[in-house]
Structures are given as C-alpha cells and as structure tokens.
C-alpha cells in the first residue's frame, strides 16, 4: 500500500513538472525493494509531459542504474542526491564540526588540559598550554575526519550515522574532507612540535595513525578495535603531562596513573554505548562485542570487571604517594555508584540500564579529575613559598589562585569531616590543625593509610602522653 501511494504521488509530482520531488521519490522507493523499482519504472514510462527529458533527468538525479535493473538495493552502491544550492557559511562550519566530532574533540582537549595541570608546573607557561590544547584538538579533528572518509559507506547503513556529512555530501565531498583531514593533521602536529616538545608531538601524530589506521581497520574485522580505541583515548592526558614537563615526565607515575584511568574508564563507557546501538553496529557490519553477544553476558561481565579495575586506582594513587588518602576514601563513594549501576546492568541487560552506565561514565570522569587535583600532593607543594615571593605573584596568579582554592576546600572538608568532629572533639587542637601544614605531625584528618604513617601516629601519641604527664606534675 505504501509503495502504491508513493507511486500515485510520484505521478502527480511528475505531471506538475516537479523534478526535484519526483527524483526524491524515485530514490526513496529504489532504496526499499525491487518491487518499488518496477512500480517506479512503470510510472516513468507512463509520464506524459515531456517523457524523454523527464526520464533522463530523473535517472540522473535519482542515480538510477537503468530502467531494467531489478537487483536488490543491497547489491548496489547508492549515491546521495547532492544539494544544488550553494552552501552557506554556517553550513560549512556545521559540517566541519561534524567531521571533526566537536564534542569528542572537546573531551580530548579537557583531558589534555587536565594532564597539564596534574603536573602542576610553576609558573604555568600559557603558551605551552595553549599549543598543547589546540594541537591536540587539531589532531583529534584530523583523525575523526579520516575515520569518516574510510567508513562513509558503512555509515550510510546505520541510522545514527546516516546523516553524517560524507553520507549526504550536501556541503563537502570526499576530496574536501581529505583536505580538511590533511590540513588539521599537519597544522596540529606542527603546533605540538614547535609549541611543546618532540615527545608530545610524536604522541599526537601517532594517535592520528592509531585511530585512523589500526582502529578503523579493525572495526569491521575484530572485536579488539575497542581495546585499540581505548589506547587512543588514554594518550591525550599523557600528552598534556609531557607538555608541562617538556617531555621529561613521560615515565612519571602520575602520567602512568592518569593514562591508565582514561584507558579503563573507556571500557564501561563504550561497551554500554555499543550495547544500546548493537543492532545499528550489526547493520553497518562492525565487529563489536555487543554484536557477537546475543544474551549480553560478555558485555555485562566486561563492564563490571573494568569498573572494578577502575575503582582500584585511587588506592594505587594513595599508596604510591601521588595523592592523599582522602582521594581513596572519596573514591569509594564515586566508584561505589559506578559498580552499583554496572551490577544492575548485569542483572538486567536492558537498554535502560546500559544508558545508566553510559550516563554515569559521563559525570564520573570530570568528578575523578577534580578530586585528583584536589588531593594531589603536587598541588599542595609551594603554596607558602608562593605567598612569600611577592615579585612573582603576577606570573603565578592563576596557579596560586587554584592551589589556594584547593587548600580552602580541603580545610572546609576537615571542618565537616565526621572523623574530625567525633574523634577529635578539641576546638583548640582544630585551630592548631588549621594553621599547621597538612604534612606536619599535628595532622588528624585525613585518615592516614600505610605503615610509615601509622608509626608516626603512634610516636605522636606517645609524645602527647609524655607531655600530658609532665604538665600534670
């Protein structure tokens, strides 16, 4: 019935000499079935005014192979109908944004900036920070554009990607996208090389090759593409860290920790996304865990396991001396909820629960990054020294402001801490703690973890007892 109505409407538009609408109808029906092809071919043959010109124009605009071709549409590569109007500036900018995957690039830039700040350089080199952020964004744009160039045929088969610029080609074609990918890749690599250091530049250019090369190659061939893609996402924060340390911090524990966090975070994030779109990925011919996992057991197990792995990193950071013990304690709340939604998905593998895992991962990452900076020991160093160096306050204005704000937040947290209020209910002692350095022996909160700190606490307790006895005498 639908095909017959389309056929009747086609005749009406053709008689009105509305070539554009008729061309759209013939293309739409050809994408549906061979039966529609026969109906449309019969319709074209009965058009009265003027038949030869109308049929040739329809065949050209509708990209029809021939009026006698009755093969299934899956065997024929359909070409999109290009918009004959001249694209506007806003359309060009929108197309560039879509080809560059602007939201993904914004996330990449945020993790790069986080890696730079995690190194806590004093003073901050704003030129280096800007070059690291802009260069990373351009490299991300190049990799995303190349990926869409290689996958535009598969994208046309998927609902969520069927309107991408290279599928419709309303504004730019493959050649224009290739120019964009080349220009952003070359400019991004150059900015990283001349504005930061050679290690950061090598990581940026290598990430383009890894994403547009191995990752894109593996997507229709192997499930391991997800693991390769996770490596790509773990590189940007390391780039920010190496840019802050002039390439000398590549093997630092902090760089390994933030890179590992981004690596592990991506698995629950992407496995949940792939489960929600598993039918679409199968339609596009991509090899994902979700497309080969009928009942969802493997997907649920992977989400749960990688969430557990991710929850151990705050403890690793604390025991390695990178952050204070409060990062591990607050991480229990953060990771506890992530584990909760992961287990819910394991119990009921629905799209709703998968969406909860995905949405949790979206706010989890910025929360983790803020808590890391708040409790980073590098962000506790040099605050007093910066106070005394009045001559350098203008240079250190931003970093001093951020560190001071972090110190104020930690102090406010101590005032609200249950451990501080109920275990050490001594207002004079609390005032002393507020004035002392957090690394000093008078520290009561945060709760310390480790044998060395436990021995220090025991020694401090013994000294306090001796002082109390002497004061009584």
């Amino acid at each position: 019935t639908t095909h017959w109505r389309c056929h009747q409407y086609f005749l009406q538009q053709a008689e009105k000499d509305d070539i554009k609408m008729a061309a759209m109808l013939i293309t739409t029906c050809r994408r549906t079935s061979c039966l529609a092809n026969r109906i449309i071919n019969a319709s074209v043959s009965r058009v009265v005014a003027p038949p030869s010109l109308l049929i040739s124009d329809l065949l050209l605009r509708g990209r029809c192979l021939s009026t006698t071709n009755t093969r299934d549409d899956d065997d024929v590569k359909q070409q999109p109908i290009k918009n004959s109007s001249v694209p506007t500036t806003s359309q060009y900018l929108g197309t560039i944004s879509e080809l560059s995957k602007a939201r993904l690039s914004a996330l990449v830039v945020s993790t790069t900036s986080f890696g730079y700040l995690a190194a806590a350089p004093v003073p901050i080199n704003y030129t280096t920070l800007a070059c690291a952020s802009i260069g990373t964004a351009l490299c991300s744009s190049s990799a995303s554009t190349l990926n869409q160039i290689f996958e535009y045929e598969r994208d046309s088969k998927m609902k969520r990607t069927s309107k991408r610029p290279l599928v419709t080609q309303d504004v730019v074609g493959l050649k224009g996208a290739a120019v964009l990918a080349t220009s952003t890749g070359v400019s991004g690599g150059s900015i990283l090389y001349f504005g930061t250091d050679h290690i950061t530049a090598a990581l940026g250019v290598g990430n383009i090759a890894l994403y547009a090369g191995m990752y894109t190659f593996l997507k229709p061939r192997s499930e391991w593409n997800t693991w390769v893609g996770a490596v790509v996402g773990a590189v940007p924060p390391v780039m920010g860290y190496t840019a802050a340390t002039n390439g000398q911090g590549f093997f630092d524990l902090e760089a390994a920790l933030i890179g590992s966090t981004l690596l592990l975070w991506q698995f629950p994030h992407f496995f949940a996304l792939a489960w929600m779109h598993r039918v679409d990925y199968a339609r596009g011919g991509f090899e994902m865990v979700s497309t080969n996992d009928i009942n969802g057991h493997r997907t649920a197990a992977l989400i749960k396991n990688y969430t557990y792995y991710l929850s151990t990193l705050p403890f690793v950071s604390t025991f390695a001396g990178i952050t204070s013990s409060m990062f591990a304690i607050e991480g229990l709340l953060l990771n506890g909820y992530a584990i909760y939604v992961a287990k819910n998905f394991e119990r009921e593998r629905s799209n709703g629960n998968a969406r909860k895992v995905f949405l949790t991962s979206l706010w989890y990452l910025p929360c983790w990054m803020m808590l890391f900076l708040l409790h980073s020991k590098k962000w506790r160093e040099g605050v007093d020294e910066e106070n005394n160096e009045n001559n350098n306050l203008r240079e250190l204005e931003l970093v001093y402001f951020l560190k001071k704000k972090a110190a104020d937040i930690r102090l406010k947290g101590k005032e609200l801490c249950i451990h501080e209020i109920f275990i050490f209910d001594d207002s004079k002692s609390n005032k002393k703690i507020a004035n002392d350095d957090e690394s000093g022996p008078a520290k009561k909160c945060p709760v310390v973890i480790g044998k060395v700190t436990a021995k220090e606490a025991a020694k401090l307790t013994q000294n306090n007892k001796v002082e109390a006895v002497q004061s009584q005498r």
Side-chain angles (χ1 to χ4, degrees):
T1 304
T2 303
H3 295 324
W4 179 251
R5 289 177 181 173
C6 181
H7 154 67
Q8 294 295 327
Y9 189 63
F10 166 81
L11 289 177
Q12 295 173 8
Q13 299 303 318
E15 290 173 358
K16 292 178 182 179
D17 202 23
D18 192 343
I19 304 299
K20 185 176 179 180
M21 179 60 72
M24 184 185 70
L25 288 170
I26 193 172
T27 304
T28 303
C29 288
R30 277 189 174 277
R31 289 176 179 172
T32 308
S33 68
C34 295
L35 177 60
N37 291 345
R38 297 190 183 97
I39 293 174
I40 294 299
N41 290 334
S43 303
V44 171
S45 64
R46 291 204 302 272
V47 173
V48 177
S52 58
L53 177 61
L54 182 60
I55 293 174
S56 61
D57 199 5
L58 287 176
L59 293 177
L60 177 62
R61 296 184 182 224
R63 298 296 191 270
C64 305
L65 294 180
S66 66
T67 56
T68 58
N69 190 352
T70 58
R71 288 184 296 173
D72 281 341
D73 200 54
D74 293 338
D75 300 330
V76 181
K77 293 182 180 179
Q78 293 287 348
Q79 298 294 330
I81 302 175
K82 295 186 179 180
N83 193 351
S84 59
S85 61
V86 179
T88 63
T89 303
S90 60
Q91 287 178 321
Y92 274 117
L93 293 177
T95 299
I96 293 173
S97 176
E98 289 185 49
L99 288 174
S100 302
K101 296 182 181 177
R103 287 182 293 181
L104 177 62
S105 296
L107 175 63
V108 170
V109 171
S110 67
T111 58
T112 303
S113 302
F114 161 72
Y116 188 95
L117 294 175
V122 179
I124 288 182
N125 190 326
Y126 297 103
T127 303
T128 304
L129 176 59
C131 288
S133 300
I134 296 172
T136 305
L138 290 172
C139 288
S140 175
S141 171
S142 177
S144 299
T145 305
L146 288 172
N147 173 263
Q148 293 183 62
I149 291 174
F150 297 142
E151 294 184 346
Y152 80 96
E153 291 183 358
R154 295 183 182 274
D155 287 342
S156 65
K157 301 176 182 178
M158 299 171 60
K159 290 184 178 179
R160 62 187 292 262
T161 58
S162 60
K163 295 184 179 180
R164 282 183 173 177
L166 295 184
V167 176
T168 61
Q169 296 190 23
D170 290 335
V171 180
V172 297
L174 295 178
K175 291 183 179 179
V179 171
L180 176 64
T182 304
S183 59
T184 53
V186 172
S187 58
S190 300
I191 290 174
L192 290 175
Y193 183 81
F194 293 105
T196 58
D197 58 90
H198 62 281
I199 292 180
T200 305
L203 289 173
V205 176
N207 230 22
I208 296 176
L210 192 61
Y211 185 83
M214 183 177 294
Y215 172 70
T216 303
F217 175 80
L218 288 176
K219 280 181 73 175
R221 294 171 175 84
S222 173
E223 295 178 357
W224 285 101
N225 69 80
T226 304
W227 281 260
V228 175
V231 174
V232 173
V235 171
V238 179
M239 290 173 61
Y241 193 92
T242 56
T245 58
N246 197 25
Q248 299 178 0
F250 182 72
F251 295 103
D252 287 0
L253 286 176
E254 288 88 348
L257 179 72
I258 60 179
S260 300
T261 300
L262 265 294
L263 177 75
L264 296 176
W265 168 82
Q266 289 176 90
F267 291 109
H269 173 82
F270 186 76
F271 284 137
L273 179 68
W275 178 259
M276 290 188 292
H277 299 287
R278 60 192 182 278
V279 176
D280 224 10
Y281 279 119
R283 188 182 293 113
F286 291 113
E287 287 290 328
M288 302 293 175
V289 172
S290 58
T291 59
N292 300 322
D293 185 18
I294 299 176
N295 50 27
H297 288 307
R298 289 178 58 210
T299 301
L302 287 169
I303 290 176
K304 182 186 70 174
N305 291 340
Y306 278 102
T307 304
Y308 277 130
Y309 302 153
L310 185 62
S311 65
T312 63
L313 292 184
F315 293 95
V316 174
S317 176
T318 297
F319 282 110
I322 298 174
T323 57
S324 69
S325 55
M326 282 305 296
F327 182 53
I329 295 172
E330 292 172 0
L332 291 174
L333 299 176
L334 190 65
N335 290 294
Y337 185 79
I339 293 173
Y340 168 76
V341 294
K343 285 194 170 184
N344 281 346
F345 177 74
E346 186 182 32
R347 284 192 292 268
E348 184 182 353
R349 294 172 294 280
S350 63
N351 282 357
N353 285 335
R355 183 174 295 277
K356 289 180 181 179
V357 174
F358 177 77
L359 294 177
T360 300
S361 69
L362 293 181
W363 60 258
Y364 176 97
L365 186 61
C367 289
W368 190 96
M369 292 191 294
M370 287 189 292
L371 289 176
F372 179 89
L373 294 179
L374 183 64
H375 299 295
S376 171
K377 290 187 176 180
K378 283 192 174 183
W379 271 57
R380 298 172 183 234
E381 297 173 355
V383 176
D384 294 334
E385 290 79 356
E386 290 167 9
N387 250 333
N388 297 329
E389 294 177 359
N390 295 323
N391 295 331
N392 295 330
L393 279 180
R394 291 183 179 179
E395 277 189 340
L396 305 176
E397 184 177 357
L398 178 59
V399 67
Y400 172 76
F401 174 78
L402 293 176
K403 286 187 175 183
K404 202 67 179 175
K405 283 296 181 182
D408 293 341
I409 294 173
R410 289 194 297 267
L411 184 59
K412 188 66 177 177
K414 284 185 177 183
E415 295 175 0
L416 301 175
C417 180
I418 298 176
H419 164 256
E420 187 80 13
I421 295 173
F422 292 99
I423 304 300
F424 297 100
D425 188 12
D426 186 355
S427 59
K428 294 182 179 180
S429 178
N430 288 337
K431 291 180 181 179
K432 184 179 179 182
I433 293 171
N435 295 325
D436 286 343
D437 188 343
E438 292 184 0
S439 61
K443 177 176 64 177
K444 294 179 181 179
C445 186
V447 181
V448 293
I449 300 176
K451 293 182 179 180
V452 176
T453 50
K455 290 180 180 180
E456 291 178 357
K459 185 178 179 180
L460 177 62
T461 304
Q462 185 64 29
N463 293 337
N464 290 339
K465 288 182 179 179
V466 173
E467 291 177 1
V469 172
Q470 289 178 352
S471 63
Q472 289 177 0
R473 290 180 180 178

